Amino acid sequence: MDGLYLLPNAEEEIIDSYDEDIIVTNRTGKIIKVTHISGQQYGITSRDLLGQSVYDLEKRGIFSPAITPQVMQQKKKIVVIQTTLDKRKILVTGIPLFNEHNEVEYVLSYSYEVSDLLVIQDYLNELEGEMTKVKEELELLREKTLSVNGIIAESKYMKQVLKTIAKVAPLPVSVVLHGENGVGKSLLAKWIHKQSRWSDGPFIEVNCGTIPEAIFEYELLGGSKPDATKKIGYLQMAQNGTLYLQGIDELSLTAQTILVKALRQQKDHFRMISSTEKSLEELMNQKQLREDLFYLIHVVPITIKPLRERLEDLTEVIQQYFRKFCDKYLVQKELSNDLFHELLHLEWYGNHLEVKNVMERLVVQSEGPIITKDDLPVEYRKQPSQIEGLEIEGRTLQTILDQVEKRVLCSAQRRYKTTTEMAKALGISQPSIVRKMKKYFNE
């Protein structure tokens, strides 16, 4: 059995060479050595401890439980929390000391008051949190490379987006990236950072939707504790780099007020990029977005169209993810022509995220080497046209057209968040959308 071996003299003594609370007991539980501060935790002097039995002290309630019998029984290091007469908590560690026969001859214990440890633990927890953020930042800065692989610009539209980014990236202007979930806004934000004069600095990404309003200011600006333990806020972390506020449309008005004040004071110290899935103009008109915040961040707006509107890019995205998962799972498979055509005509409201998910499912769930339309998940299989299900007999053309128009509006309402987006998708004006919605849904 591995362990410590110690054969101290049996004389009771107070050890003066330690500033720690150390107690040594023999195998019968008698205290034979203490340090000069031993006993303070229990409200008695170190000299009064000498010669006492830990079993008697436990019965008198001086402390509970006694650690010596536990160490003797288990023959290994034990950690317990003792309770004293005045209900304080003491963290005690007991270590067995063996004789030449590998028997526990003595037990050495040392203790700390739990309240002291909690103060240290709070400090360490906060320090650990700050170190985690610093390590994440260093990971991004390592070798000055951000993960920007995956930008696909086969379409004329995306090539123009990249040209715009190349033009504005070196300039000290705020950029807003607008697009549906999964179109690659974070990827483009990193690309802007890499092409900017702030590329040697940190890229700090903040998900606005995950920060509770109550601690937004604390997270943004940092804490107010003494410098040794002060929390570093996102603005300070982004100094001489880029601050990317993902989902800025999700901030409450209170959080927006805090952000506006902070940006007015420090916006010249870092590059500002934000992203949104909603129309900021419409949010401002609805009083859900502060006007001053809109004009602070909305200097260069860049819209990223969904994949369903960029067939050249969608084609490449499908192929790239398919090849990736074939390589990952060590299989050789192909997409049939009819399946590929079907994939190009799906809506893909999750964009890259959804395509990636479906490609992985097709690779791992399909049976044969050729993947066909029959291998598509059920929810992606094309349903019969709704027009075929319309009742025509005995109905006027206008009635039929109204029914079709209502179905189209229902579908658009499920897919788009605002009437402005619905109008753009359907190719009519926003007031027309409002009138038609009122006609069919406020009857």
Side-chain angles (χ1 to χ4, degrees):
M1 180 184 295
D2 295 332
L4 295 172
Y5 294 83
L6 182 66
L7 289 173
N9 58 57
E11 181 182 354
E12 299 172 2
E13 66 174 332
I14 297 177
I15 307 170
D16 293 324
S17 57
Y18 295 95
D19 291 328
E20 301 293 338
D21 184 359
I22 298 175
I23 297 175
V24 179
T25 64
N26 63 20
R27 61 194 309 169
T28 66
K30 180 183 178 181
I31 298 174
I32 61 172
K33 294 183 184 294
V34 296
T35 59
H36 66 279
I37 66 171
S38 297
Q40 292 180 7
Q41 307 273 31
Y42 309 119
I44 56 179
T45 67
S46 56
R47 187 164 298 277
D48 289 338
L49 276 179
L50 281 174
Q52 297 271 10
S53 167
V54 295
Y55 297 99
D56 291 339
L57 293 172
E58 183 179 27
K59 288 179 181 179
R60 289 160 52 191
I62 302 298
F63 52 71
S64 179
I67 197 169
T68 296
Q70 297 189 40
V71 176
M72 294 291 297
Q73 180 182 9
Q74 300 187 39
K75 297 183 179 182
K76 65 178 183 178
K77 179 181 177 180
I78 299 292
V79 179
V80 300
I81 295 180
Q82 289 182 343
T83 303
T84 65
L85 271 174
D86 56 1
K87 305 304 181 183
R88 287 185 297 116
K89 301 297 183 181
I90 307 297
L91 184 71
V92 183
T93 302
I95 300 174
L97 304 176
F98 300 90
N99 59 25
E100 65 273 19
H101 304 296
N102 276 333
E103 298 171 339
V104 180
E105 189 70 27
Y106 303 97
V107 174
L108 182 148
S109 63
Y110 54 91
S111 61
Y112 300 94
E113 187 171 353
V114 172
S115 59
D116 295 334
L117 294 175
L118 291 177
V119 172
I120 297 174
Q121 186 64 47
D122 287 343
Y123 169 75
L124 291 177
N125 286 341
E126 184 158 0
L127 186 61
E128 182 181 7
E130 299 308 323
M131 289 303 298
T132 298
K133 288 184 179 180
V134 171
K135 284 191 289 186
E136 289 174 353
E137 178 183 322
L138 291 176
E139 181 68 21
L140 293 175
L141 291 172
R142 189 179 61 210
E143 299 178 357
K144 298 181 182 179
T145 59
L146 290 170
S147 178
V148 293
N149 296 327
I151 295 180
I152 295 174
E154 299 294 325
S155 66
K156 181 179 179 181
Y157 179 84
M158 278 305 295
K159 289 177 181 177
Q160 184 58 50
V161 167
L162 294 186
K163 285 183 181 179
T164 301
I165 288 176
K167 181 177 180 180
V168 304
L171 305 177
V173 294
S174 298
V175 176
V176 173
L177 302 172
H178 179 272
E180 293 179 2
N181 182 43
V183 294
K185 298 186 290 296
S186 293
L187 197 65
L188 290 176
K190 293 174 184 177
W191 182 247
I192 293 172
H193 170 76
K194 190 173 183 182
Q195 300 301 310
S196 73
R197 68 185 191 188
W198 295 273
S199 59
D200 288 334
F203 178 86
I204 305 301
E205 183 170 354
V206 181
N207 188 334
C208 296
T210 62
I211 306 176
E213 180 183 297
I215 62 170
F216 180 76
E217 184 172 13
Y218 178 72
E219 293 291 330
L220 188 69
L221 304 177
S224 56
K225 295 181 180 180
D227 290 343
T229 59
K230 182 176 180 181
K231 175 181 172 60
I232 301 175
Y234 290 123
L235 292 191
Q236 186 177 353
M237 292 175 62
Q239 295 299 301
N240 302 313
T242 297
L243 178 67
Y244 173 46
L245 296 180
Q246 180 186 20
I248 197 168
D249 52 296
E250 297 186 52
L251 289 179
S252 67
L253 290 174
T254 300
Q256 292 176 32
T257 301
I258 295 170
L259 179 60
V260 167
K261 183 178 179 181
L263 291 179
R264 283 174 173 168
Q265 295 174 351
Q266 303 186 42
K267 69 181 181 68
D268 294 332
H269 300 149
F270 52 82
R271 173 62 171 275
M272 176 75 179
I273 303 176
S274 54
S275 68
T276 174
E277 294 183 27
K278 302 175 183 176
S279 166
L280 295 185
E281 294 96 331
E282 189 163 328
L283 289 177
M284 182 176 64
N285 293 335
Q286 296 172 354
K287 305 301 181 183
Q288 296 179 29
L289 181 73
R290 286 178 59 107
E291 186 175 351
D292 47 5
L293 178 59
F294 175 85
Y295 291 116
L296 272 173
I297 64 175
H298 200 267
V299 179
V300 179
I302 298 177
T303 299
I304 303 99
K305 287 184 178 180
L307 282 176
R308 60 181 171 276
E309 298 180 21
R310 299 185 276 126
L311 290 184
E312 300 95 334
D313 297 331
L314 177 58
T315 299
E316 183 62 24
V317 169
I318 291 173
Q319 292 174 338
Q320 280 196 17
Y321 281 127
F322 181 71
R323 290 194 296 267
K324 173 183 177 179
F325 290 117
C326 283
D327 292 341
K328 178 179 178 179
Y329 296 110
L330 303 176
V331 296
Q332 292 184 351
K333 296 189 177 186
E334 296 181 14
L335 297 172
S336 66
N337 291 334
D338 61 340
L339 172 59
F340 196 84
H341 181 270
E342 187 80 5
L343 293 173
L344 290 178
H345 289 83
L346 294 176
E347 297 293 347
W348 301 117
Y349 292 112
N351 294 286
H352 283 264
L353 301 175
E354 188 176 7
V355 175
K356 180 180 178 181
N357 175 268
V358 173
M359 289 302 102
E360 185 169 17
R361 293 170 67 181
L362 287 174
V363 169
V364 301
Q365 294 181 3
S366 58
E367 298 291 341
I370 306 297
I371 306 176
T372 69
K373 290 198 301 183
D374 293 335
D375 294 308
L376 269 175
V378 175
E379 63 269 30
Y380 288 94
R381 296 177 189 176
K382 191 173 182 181
Q383 301 299 320
S385 172
Q386 289 185 321
I387 299 296
E388 296 175 4
L390 287 175
E391 181 62 43
I392 297 177
E393 215 41 57
R395 307 180 71 188
T396 65
L397 176 60
Q398 186 59 52
T399 302
I400 296 172
L401 292 176
D402 285 347
Q403 185 178 359
V404 172
E405 188 173 55
K406 184 175 181 179
R407 290 185 178 182
V408 171
L409 288 172
C410 284
S411 178
Q413 192 177 31
R414 288 193 299 269
R415 297 174 184 178
Y416 302 104
K417 296 181 174 66
T418 66
T419 54
T420 300
E421 292 174 348
M422 291 173 61
K424 183 178 179 181
L426 297 177
I428 60 177
S429 67
Q430 191 265 351
S432 295
I433 288 288
V434 174
R435 287 196 300 271
K436 292 178 183 296
M437 295 288 287
K438 184 176 181 180
K439 172 184 176 182
Y440 293 117
F441 303 111
N442 292 333
E443 297 172 349

